[in-house]
């Protein structure tokens, strides 16, 4: 097998810098879209998650190359499961409205793992697909749901008496 020079996949200072920079760019692009839409996890959050995941992969590779560790996938697996807690927190804080943001954080974490591994092509393509889903497919989703007659209301009230009046009005008009 012919060994080709591949600067991003080598473990040199410049390759590590390129991988981390790629993680910042990919996370930043996804986060910028979320920031523009004023979602709970935005620009900085996505960058930090993507960057942290890339550092995790780089750490696994470093430990493997130093013969201090032989399970290169273990740290990355912990990122994948651990990001679930961040996503769950996003959903809880936003009262069930942050599912897409949570999924985007999970995708950004995995893209970070890919960046850390030096698989730039996959990271760039995956980032483009995530942006396609969040920017373009949201319009299709809006068109599909705009024809629905269902509507979910979230009502906050100060006293139980207020809520009883609202419920009585809804029952009176046969609204479920």
């Amino acid at each position: 097998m012919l060994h080709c020079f591949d600067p991003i996949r080598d473990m040199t200072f410049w390759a590590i810098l390129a991988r981390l920079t790629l993680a910042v760019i990919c996370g930043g692009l996804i986060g910028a879209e979320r920031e523009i839409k004023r979602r709970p996890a935005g620009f900085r959050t996505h960058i930090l998650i993507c960057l942290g995941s890339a550092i995790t992969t780089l750490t696994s590779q470093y430990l493997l190359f130093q013969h201090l560790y032989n399970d290169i996938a273990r740290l990355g697996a912990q990122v994948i499961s651990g990001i679930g807690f961040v996503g769950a927190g996003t959903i809880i804080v936003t009262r069930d409205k942050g599912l897409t943001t949570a999924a985007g954080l999970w995708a950004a974490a995995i893209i970070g793992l890919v960046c850390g591994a030096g698989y730039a092509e996959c990271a760039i393509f995956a980032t483009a697909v995530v942006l396609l889903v969040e920017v373009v497919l949201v319009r299709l989703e809006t068109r599909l749901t705009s024809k629905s007659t269902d509507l979910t209301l979230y009502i906050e009230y100060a006293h139980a008496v207020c809520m009883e009046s609202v419920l009585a009005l809804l029952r009176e008009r046969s609204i479920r």
Side-chain angles (χ1 to χ4, degrees):
M1 176 187 267
L2 180 64
H3 179 71
C4 297
F5 174 69
D6 193 351
I8 200 164
R9 288 180 178 83
D10 290 334
M11 284 298 284
T12 64
F13 171 81
W14 296 110
I16 292 167
L17 183 64
R19 292 179 194 190
L20 295 178
T21 302
L22 181 61
V24 169
I25 292 168
C26 291
L29 288 171
I30 296 168
E33 185 277 334
R34 299 274 83 195
E35 192 76 39
I36 289 167
K37 291 183 178 175
R38 299 265 186 222
R39 297 303 189 247
F43 187 66
R44 292 177 302 149
T45 305
H46 281 79
I47 287 174
L48 291 173
I49 284 177
C50 201
L51 180 63
S53 298
I55 293 168
T56 301
T57 301
L58 285 164
T59 301
S60 289
Q61 290 176 350
Y62 176 80
L63 293 172
L64 178 72
F65 294 152
Q66 296 299 315
H67 305 291
L68 301 171
Y69 196 62
N70 62 3
D71 187 358
I72 195 165
R74 184 172 290 183
L75 290 177
Q78 298 309 312
V79 167
I80 293 169
S81 62
I83 197 67
F85 288 103
V86 175
T90 302
I91 293 167
I92 290 168
V93 166
T94 59
R95 297 184 182 160
D96 298 327
K97 297 179 199 169
L99 191 57
T100 301
T101 300
L105 289 170
W106 185 77
I110 295 173
I111 290 169
L113 292 173
V114 170
C115 290
Y119 193 9
E121 304 88 347
C122 181
I124 293 166
F125 181 72
T127 300
V129 171
V130 168
L131 291 173
L132 175 78
V133 167
E134 291 183 350
V135 174
V136 177
L137 293 185
V138 72
R139 293 183 183 135
L140 175 63
E141 182 180 23
T142 302
R143 283 188 186 155
L144 293 173
T145 59
S146 68
K147 296 177 183 178
S148 173
T149 58
D150 291 345
L151 177 66
T152 303
L153 295 175
Y154 294 95
I155 302 172
E156 293 184 23
Y157 56 93
H159 304 287
V161 176
C162 299
M163 191 61 184
E164 290 170 11
S165 302
V166 170
L167 291 174
L169 179 64
L170 293 174
R171 268 189 241 108
E172 181 182 302
R173 301 199 180 197
S174 301
I175 298 173
R176 289 181 283 138

